[in-house]
Amino acid sequence: MDYIKEKLIEIGRPKAETVKKLIKNYGDKTIQDVTLGQVMTGMKGMVSLLTCTSKLDAEEGIRFRGYTIPQLQELLPKIQKDGEPLPEGLFYLMLTGELPTVDDVNFISNQWAQRAQGIPSHVYDVINALPKDAHPMIQFNTAILAMSTESQFRKAYLTGMDKKDYWGPTYEGVMDLISRLPVIAAYIYRRVFHNENYIDPDPNLDWAGNLAHMMGHDSDEVKRLMRLYMNIHSDHEGGNVSAHATHLVGSALSNPYYSFSAGMNGLAGPLHGMANQNVMHWLHKMVREIGVENPSEAQIKEYAETTLKKGQVIPGYGHAVLRKTDPRFTVQLEFAKKYAPDAPLIQLAEKVYKVVPDILLSTGKVKNPWPNVDAISGSLLSSFGITEYPIYTVLFGVSRSLGVLTQLIWDRLYGLPLERPKSQNLAWYMDKVGYKE
Ligand code: CMX
């Protein structure tokens, strides 16, 4: 058993005991009143999930195990002193709650490099059977499901194991799956956009650096950008669609591949991870329709207002929880200013940022008019040469595996049961609040 698993037993067992005692001794305590509005508007703010990896504050943004993004940029191990932290370190932090040492990060990097070699050949056959113009998220999700033939959890479950040990093969499956996602993502990228001209992994590179390398973007800057991208998209508490879907499906003891694939199907929605691609469509359509490369603020305003008049959303803006500019937006803008200060797409994204919040506020209904992570991520990737927009949500998905699959390991460590909320019909709700037609 590796030392991380030993650590998880040490940390996880007492926590599982606490969960049991909470249910037994305090299970009938009311923790929150639920309003009809909450139920009917996507359960916003309804406390109903147990997640330890990260916490989202409406004003401040995300904290991973208590640390903000700027704090982690200082505290997590990096390759270059002025570089971005290695996502391996963030994974270790989310999993154990402790800041990693350089040795911890190297251990995970090596583990992932070794495990990445185990992708069975049928996974590539399955991808190759799909048309090349199938959206990369279709290819990505299909590959994830195809990899579930390797599920260690499924095999262990069939042998008949003790419930409290389920987390062990879940951990193994998660480590396998995370290690293989960059290889799959790069394979799809090269298949669709680079004439099937594939690039082997470099065993000396870290997980995110290798992804950039296998995609064919080998510069130091793109590797740094990929580390940043993989960190900031990794986790956003438990209630976002990709995390919640992974957790929900996992609660049926579906293996990590099934569970993660469910999360990725959610990520592929335009209100969630697909927004990064849609932002680029929106920007390019704007430039095309206005007819100039560098539209003025007045022209952007008019275009944004037309989008709203058509009953469409402005992608990259708004959030179900956040009520301020997303710190994941800010950190990307800072990166762009440092490494690509003159990139036209970044300047355009900044101009949109000046104009769009006021327009959204003026609707009187948008609760958060500020940019989210997707408002700039595509402009940034594009400015560094990754111009093929349909791959952006796949990259988001590779990153998201770090958080949601850590949450899945913790679901098993806590011993959480099958999720099964109660549903009611419309008449029940009308009756409950005394509504009369
Ligand atoms: N453009 C136009 N209208 C918007 C809007 C936007 N960017 N954001 C919210 N609204 C609208 C909603 O559609 C809703 O309209 P109706 O009352 O007519 O249905 C109203 O404002 C209230 O919505 P809200 O409570 O402010 O927002 P929600 O919590 O329901 O939705 C989100 C949040 C992200 C889905 C929404 O802001 C949105 O659609 N944004 C654009 C898509 C996007 O960027 N998604 C990525 C989010 C981050 C991620 O997961 O990656």
Side-chain angles (χ1 to χ4, degrees):
M1 182 182 293
D2 77 43
Y3 79 97
I4 294 183
K5 283 174 92 176
E6 279 168 8
K7 197 179 252 305
L8 286 176
I9 294 181
E10 199 184 304
I11 312 168
R13 289 270 154 88
K15 292 251 161 42
E17 280 308 309
T18 305
V19 168
K20 261 197 203 142
K21 282 188 205 151
L22 273 171
I23 297 168
K24 185 161 175 261
N25 301 329
Y26 301 87
D28 58 352
K29 294 266 179 222
T30 302
I31 50 167
Q32 194 188 30
D33 288 330
V34 173
T35 64
L36 175 91
Q38 283 180 299
V39 173
M40 301 244 164
T41 58
M43 299 191 276
K44 308 276 166 51
M46 229 170 90
V47 179
S48 52
L49 294 163
L50 171 62
T51 310
C52 61
T53 50
S54 65
K55 198 162 157 55
L56 184 56
D57 180 83
E59 305 291 317
E60 187 196 48
I62 191 71
R63 276 179 184 260
F64 300 91
R65 290 280 194 171
Y67 297 100
T68 62
I69 292 172
Q71 285 169 339
L72 290 178
Q73 284 180 311
E74 291 298 317
L75 294 169
L76 290 177
K78 305 167 201 152
I79 293 179
Q80 301 99 336
K81 206 162 177 285
D82 66 338
E84 295 299 323
L86 292 164
E88 287 88 332
L90 180 59
F91 174 75
Y92 182 93
L93 173 69
M94 287 193 286
L95 189 58
T96 66
E98 293 170 14
L99 285 169
T101 62
V102 171
D103 285 347
D104 295 324
V105 165
N106 287 341
F107 175 80
I108 294 173
S109 242
N110 290 336
Q111 278 280 315
W112 288 352
Q114 277 166 32
R115 290 172 186 252
Q117 292 166 16
I119 301 174
S121 61
H122 74 259
V123 175
Y124 297 105
D125 296 339
V126 166
I127 298 173
N128 293 338
L130 288 166
K132 271 196 192 167
D133 61 0
H135 192 280
M137 277 305 276
I138 299 176
Q139 304 191 40
F140 187 58
N141 277 353
T142 306
I144 292 164
L145 269 186
M147 281 194 283
S148 73
T149 50
E150 307 309 293
S151 169
Q152 303 208 32
F153 180 80
R154 192 175 58 93
K155 285 172 201 147
Y157 189 83
L158 287 175
T159 63
M161 65 188 314
D162 190 321
K163 273 179 174 184
K164 69 177 187 320
D165 298 326
Y166 287 162
W167 71 272
T170 301
Y171 169 88
E172 296 297 339
V174 164
M175 291 291 276
D176 284 347
L177 180 49
I178 293 177
S179 78
R180 293 166 193 178
L181 292 173
V183 183
I184 297 296
Y187 184 87
I188 294 165
Y189 178 72
R190 301 293 300 181
R191 171 173 193 252
V192 175
F193 302 110
H194 293 272
N195 211 17
E196 302 180 22
N197 189 355
Y198 302 112
I199 300 170
D200 285 335
D202 176 345
N204 299 313
L205 281 173
D206 56 294
W207 183 75
N210 227 333
L211 171 55
H213 162 75
M214 289 183 285
M215 288 175 73
H217 296 275
D218 239 333
S219 73
D220 208 33
E221 276 76 27
V222 178
K223 290 196 189 101
R224 283 173 192 237
L225 170 59
M226 202 55 88
R227 290 175 198 124
L228 173 77
Y229 190 99
M230 290 296 131
N231 281 326
I232 63 174
H233 289 82
S234 61
D235 205 38
H236 227 214
E237 230 183 56
N240 68 79
V241 171
S242 50
H244 192 187
T246 304
H247 162 79
L248 169 65
V249 172
S251 85
L253 293 182
S254 302
N255 69 48
Y257 301 85
Y258 284 133
S259 307
F260 184 60
S261 151
M264 290 301 96
N265 287 324
L267 193 78
L271 297 188
H272 192 13
M274 194 66 86
N276 57 13
Q277 168 184 329
N278 291 347
V279 167
M280 300 313 287
H281 284 310
W282 190 80
L283 290 178
H284 281 283
K285 200 156 167 258
M286 172 170 75
V287 165
R288 240 186 359 258
E289 284 184 14
I290 296 173
V292 287
E293 283 297 317
N294 188 11
S296 67
E297 288 182 22
Q299 286 171 316
I300 295 173
K301 184 168 182 283
E302 198 185 332
Y303 183 77
E305 283 168 348
T306 309
T307 304
L308 295 183
K309 272 190 210 124
K310 287 183 188 157
Q312 295 163 12
V313 296
I314 299 179
Y317 282 77
H319 200 272
V321 180
L322 282 168
R323 295 296 177 256
K324 284 271 164 70
T325 294
D326 192 335
R328 302 172 302 171
F329 173 89
T330 311
V331 76
Q332 291 181 89
L333 188 55
E334 281 163 6
F335 186 96
K337 294 221 149 136
K338 189 166 168 190
Y339 294 106
D342 302 324
L345 272 171
I346 298 295
Q347 287 172 359
L348 184 58
E350 266 197 285
K351 228 188 245 182
V352 171
Y353 180 28
K354 277 195 197 143
V355 171
V356 163
D358 280 344
I359 297 171
L360 290 177
L361 268 180
S362 71
T363 65
K365 64 173 184 179
V366 179
K367 295 197 190 66
N368 175 39
W370 303 108
N372 58 56
V373 68
D374 302 311
I376 195 168
S377 61
S379 296
L380 189 56
L381 289 166
S382 223
S383 302
F384 283 83
I386 305 177
T387 53
E388 302 87 354
Y389 314 143
I391 204 66
Y392 294 170
T393 312
V394 171
L395 297 180
F396 193 154
V398 175
S399 163
R400 193 43 64 107
S401 69
L402 300 175
V404 301
L405 290 171
T406 301
Q407 292 186 27
L408 190 69
I409 296 172
W410 270 99
D411 289 348
R412 302 275 203 266
L413 278 163
Y414 286 138
L416 297 181
L418 182 84
E419 194 171 288
R420 193 6 174 138
K422 177 77 187 151
S423 62
Q424 292 288 4
N425 62 20
L426 192 56
W428 185 92
Y429 287 103
M430 289 161 70
D431 187 47
K432 193 79 189 162
V433 297
Y435 177 93
K436 303 264 180 299
E437 289 286 5

